[in-house]
Amino acid sequence: MDTFRLLVVDDHPHAREAIRDILVEHEEFIIIGEAKNGKEAIQFAQEWLPDLILMDIKMPVMDGLEATKVIKRQFPAVKIVMMTVSDDITDLFDALKKGAQGYLLKNIQSDEWIEYLRAFALDEVPMSKEIAFRILNEFPQKKATQETPLSVRELEVLQLVAKGMSNRDISTHLYISEHTVKSHLKNILGKLHLENRVQLTSYAYEQGLMN
């Protein structure tokens, strides 16, 4: 079983306690520290380099978005998931632009919360087609290239990711195992020098690879 070392960042003690209560029964998530604001989060990340950070957006001293930008610049491999009570898509875009993998609503059911958190940790969160198109419009455009370094199968996987399919959906659609899907995704990210599904989706639309 994969395990993930977590840093919880929230200025409200009750919120941090609630998160601990949710995670305590799930052995793959190990809370290695807590921070009350973005400045503390940066210091903690520099000292302990967690695998995953749960980052509140609105905090005193330094908010979560600014802290995310600093941490991702220093430690791009650290996954950051924003926590918010708002489902405003603007919050999502602000988080993604700062480098976050996505965001979790604080008010969803705990079992669903864990399911999404596990997916974020494994970089398996599907991207909806609506969000994919909005990402294309929101993110800075890159210069298009004539060729792609991807194989035919890798290109198929990339297109399905950009259409919002999960690893399970892709494996069913292509009649391959989820393990094979993950292997393809790892190769695709490596070849394109990208970090996650969000960037893959943006790349696919920017390069005109969608059919």
Side-chain angles (χ1 to χ4, degrees), residues 6-9 19 29 51-57 64-65 68 72 78-84 92 95-96 99-106 113 116-123 125:
L6 267 68
L7 169 62
V8 178
V9 186
I19 293 170
F29 297 113
D51 300 312
L52 180 65
I53 299 176
L54 296 180
M55 182 86 72
D56 191 23
I57 292 181
L65 295 173
T68 294
K72 292 295 288 188
V78 175
K79 294 182 172 66
I80 301 180
V81 177
M82 313 306 295
M83 300 183 296
T84 177
L92 172 61
L96 296 179
Q101 271 60 43
Y103 77 129
L104 280 169
L105 293 176
K106 291 183 177 181
W113 206 81
Y116 272 100
L117 184 58
R118 186 177 293 117
F120 280 122
L122 296 172
D123 199 24
V125 179

Side-chain angles (χ1 to χ4, degrees), residues 59 62 94 157 159 193:
M59 293 182 293
M62 178 185 289
D94 284 343
V157 172
Q159 290 170 335
H193 306 291

Side-chain angles (χ1 to χ4, degrees), residues 134-184:
R134 295 190 66 174
I135 286 175
L136 176 63
N137 293 326
E138 291 284 337
F139 276 72
Q141 298 295 299
K142 300 176 182 178
K143 185 177 180 180
T145 59
Q146 296 297 320
E147 298 180 356
T148 173
L150 305 180
S151 68
V152 173
R153 177 60 91 187
E154 289 168 346
L155 183 57
E156 288 179 318
V157 172
L158 171 62
Q159 290 170 335
L160 295 176
V161 167
K163 289 179 180 178
M165 286 193 179
S166 66
N167 287 358
R168 181 177 301 177
D169 293 334
I170 294 172
S171 70
T172 300
H173 185 83
L174 296 179
Y175 301 101
I176 57 178
S177 69
E178 286 191 57
H179 177 77
T180 301
V181 174
K182 292 179 181 179
S183 179
H184 282 313

Side-chain angles (χ1 to χ4, degrees), residues 93 96 123 125-137 139 141-142 157-165 170 185 188-189 192 194-210:
F93 282 132
L96 296 179
D123 199 24
V125 179
M127 184 69 58
S128 73
K129 191 171 183 179
E130 176 190 359
I131 291 179
F133 276 114
R134 295 190 66 174
I135 286 175
L136 176 63
N137 293 326
F139 276 72
Q141 298 295 299
K142 300 176 182 178
V157 172
L158 171 62
Q159 290 170 335
L160 295 176
V161 167
K163 289 179 180 178
M165 286 193 179
I170 294 172
L185 281 172
I188 293 168
L189 289 167
L192 300 179
L194 300 176
E195 296 179 13
N196 53 55
R197 298 171 90 99
V198 173
Q199 293 179 358
L200 287 178
T201 300
S202 178
Y203 175 88
Y205 281 97
E206 288 175 2
Q207 301 302 317
L209 299 177
M210 303 303 296

